[in-house]
Amino acid sequence: MIDAREIAGEPVLTIDRVTVVGGGAWGTALALAAARAGRDTVLVVRDAAVAEAINTRRENPARLPGLVLDPPIHATTDLATIAGADAVILAVPAQATRSAAEVLAPFLSPGTPVVLAAKGIERASGALLADVLAEAAPGAVAAVLSGPSFAVDVARGLPTAVTIACADGAIADALAAALASLAFRPYASTDVVGVEVGGALKNVLAIACGIVVGRGLGASAQAALTARAFAEMGRLAAALGGRPETVTGLSGLGDLVLTASSRQSRNFSCGIALGEGRPLSDHGPLVEGALTAPVAAALATTLGVELPITAAVAAVVEGRLSIDAAIEGLLARPLKRE
């Protein structure tokens, strides 16, 4: 139940029951985070075999092999459990957000916070995911969770800090408090756009940084590209109404530093493979940066925002430009003041 309580003299909302939708590594990790924070947590999955493994063997062997789910979490395939939730975390791929939201919408009580845990921009519409949720489940209150976080680290209980944004600051505070524990530290924000842009664009830019590594261009080039990539993130966020300080925080710079430097990152690893001459298909369908790059580049063109690195990644993943030509094009850009 959501109710009002007094903490340090200030009225706040509390969230006791959390339902996580999505049985992948990230959904499982976030369900563990909620359970460790003391919430009554349910994980909704599509596959009955996954639910059985989580409930009886305390593991998700397909997504988090070898990791004991501690504390135990309850998994189900029954979407009706959403109806009793104070908050829902939607942990499905970015491009599946609309269809998933449409399925869960009939079970949501009006005003229920739905936390979007994916990072991307919808390809079909060019819309940020909070806008997609508003169309697909108009009774929900959109929130976004983003920041430097690998699912396996969160699942293992390693220290992690993220940002949770909602236009309603009281709900953002309540969600942060509901998920907070000694190992998982959420920071509340009201800048939904800034948080979403940081999360979406860092995947694209991590591919670019991976290409630099895969091509063997050196640490200096990687550092320079990361800095210029961060500038692109800030430009797009500002054009869409995000705040500059958001992009310099966890969901922007923090996530970019992690994703653009670690081989645990699917996007960075994909970039390395591309730089080494391997095809994009080797990395499967869930490289969010490859899906987001073309729509982010198109959005930037519409807004009149310069995103040369993003545009180069889009051209490479769509097969319109070779990696060598993309690198040459970036290096040949006119000199300008920083």
Side-chain angles (χ1 to χ4, degrees), residues 42 47-48 50 66 78 92 103-104 111 124 139 144 165 168 189-190 205 214 268 273 301 304 323:
V42 175
D47 191 337
V50 172
D78 185 7
V92 300
V103 169
L104 64 86
V144 179
D168 186 323
S189 171
T190 57
L205 301 169
F268 185 64
T301 299
I323 287 175

Side-chain angles (χ1 to χ4, degrees), residues 180-206:
S181 65
L182 291 177
F184 194 76
R185 185 175 178 83
Y187 287 77
S189 171
T190 57
D191 185 8
V192 174
V193 169
V195 171
E196 282 207 85
V197 171
L201 214 57
K202 63 91 185 180
N203 284 329
V204 177
L205 301 169

Side-chain angles (χ1 to χ4, degrees), residues 24-40:
W26 192 216
T28 305
L30 289 173
L32 285 169
R36 289 175 186 140
R39 306 285 74 80
D40 180 1

